[in-house]
Amino acid sequence: MKPSLIGCYKVKIAVLIYNPKVFREVIDRLRKINIDFYVPSTIDELKELLSDAPDLSDHIFVMDDELMGLLNVRTYIPNLILANEKNVLEVVSRVILKLLGKERVSELVLGIDVGRLYAYVLIADGYVVDYGLVTSLSKVVKYVRPWIKHLNPKVLSVRIGELTNIDVLEDLQKLGISMEVELIDESSSSKPPQYRPLNNVNLKEISQDLEAALNIALRSGIKVDLGVTKSGTTSI
């Protein structure tokens, strides 16, 4: 029962979801960003945990309605997050926010390395929450937009490697999303980073392009005005 160390809390995350598809999607998401969790071996084990422990404030429980029906526990379950087929990303976002001890993140940083593929890394208040390799900027936006909605950052920063094509900036402008955009000197983005791996996600082992996107996200560059109105909350 290993606690997660994201943020300032040592929290144990119990995942017990009856729907196999939802269970797989939730644990795959948690594993992707190295959030530790455990799965109670039986419903009786979970019932015993809920009945014997007077203080479960150090736990997060991720369940679904089917499991709650089988559990048939009338006592209050603290830090309960219900999952279903439509809200997996929201569930993981809520887990992240609980681990950070926040209702919303202060800054969400998107680093993009533009090459044959678009490598992107998304960092919420210093912790990697998503990453991937896709074929277009529109697909980056497709995967990142739900995170923006659920993490509700006070500031959204987009940092992009040196561009050979101004169309990328024009595409960002068309999105109409309030953001701060910076162009990063890409000549140094592939150098070994001077920081410890964020929440132990070793992107270098997955792809050098992802490592470059991470380094881009963590550097400051030249600010670009896209002419998109900024507001206190991120417009999506």
Side-chain angles (χ1 to χ4, degrees), residues 1-231:
M1 195 182 299
K2 187 177 179 182
S4 178
L5 297 178
I6 284 184
C8 56
Y9 299 97
K10 293 184 179 180
V11 177
K12 302 179 185 73
I13 302 170
V15 179
L16 196 57
I17 298 173
Y18 189 77
N19 184 308
K21 180 176 183 292
V22 177
F23 175 75
R24 174 55 57 188
E25 289 181 6
V26 169
I27 65 172
D28 283 350
R29 280 283 184 180
L30 294 175
R31 284 172 174 163
K32 181 179 180 180
I33 54 177
N34 276 4
I35 293 181
D36 292 312
F37 62 92
Y38 75 99
V39 180
S41 56
T42 64
I43 291 179
D44 287 339
E45 178 186 337
L46 183 57
K47 283 184 177 181
E48 184 177 351
L49 172 65
L50 294 173
S51 61
D52 290 350
D55 182 8
L56 292 171
S57 59
D58 65 339
H59 274 72
I60 295 173
F61 295 94
V62 182
M63 306 181 191
D64 61 358
D65 286 332
E66 291 91 339
L67 189 282
M68 289 293 291
L70 293 172
L71 193 59
N72 194 25
V73 173
R74 296 184 179 181
T75 56
Y76 169 70
I77 302 177
N79 295 325
L80 172 64
I81 301 175
L82 289 177
N84 60 55
E85 292 187 2
K86 297 181 179 180
N87 76 340
V88 170
L89 193 57
E90 179 183 356
V91 165
V92 177
S93 298
R94 290 179 63 189
V95 168
I96 290 169
L97 289 172
K98 283 183 178 293
L99 291 175
L100 292 171
K102 299 180 177 183
E103 294 185 358
R104 61 187 299 197
V105 299
S106 298
E107 183 179 30
L108 197 60
V109 179
L110 174 62
I112 304 174
D113 180 54
V114 181
R116 185 178 62 85
L117 295 174
Y118 287 71
Y120 73 90
V121 175
L122 192 63
I123 301 173
D125 287 350
Y127 295 90
V128 173
V129 297
D130 196 18
Y131 54 87
L133 293 164
V134 295
T135 56
S136 66
L137 180 63
S138 63
K139 288 188 176 179
V140 174
V141 174
K142 175 185 176 182
Y143 292 124
V144 168
R145 191 183 289 270
W147 287 108
I148 298 172
K149 176 182 178 181
H150 299 309
L151 294 176
N152 189 23
K154 295 178 182 177
V155 176
L156 172 63
S157 299
V158 179
R159 295 171 183 161
I160 311 174
E162 186 177 328
L163 295 175
T164 59
N165 189 335
I166 199 66
D167 290 346
V168 173
L169 290 180
E170 293 178 352
D171 288 343
L172 283 173
Q173 189 176 31
K174 292 175 184 176
L175 297 175
I177 299 175
S178 175
M179 67 184 78
E180 297 179 356
V181 178
E182 296 180 44
L183 295 183
I184 309 300
D185 178 8
E186 200 167 3
S187 63
S188 60
S189 67
S190 296
K191 294 180 181 178
Q194 300 301 312
Y195 55 84
R196 64 181 183 178
L198 301 180
N199 46 302
N200 297 318
V201 177
N202 193 338
L203 296 175
K204 185 177 182 180
E205 292 184 354
I206 304 172
S207 163
Q208 289 186 344
D209 291 335
L210 287 174
E211 185 188 27
L214 175 61
N215 293 337
I216 286 169
L218 296 174
R219 288 184 166 90
S220 298
I222 301 172
K223 292 188 177 181
V224 177
D225 183 6
L226 294 183
V228 180
T229 302
K230 296 178 181 178
S231 60

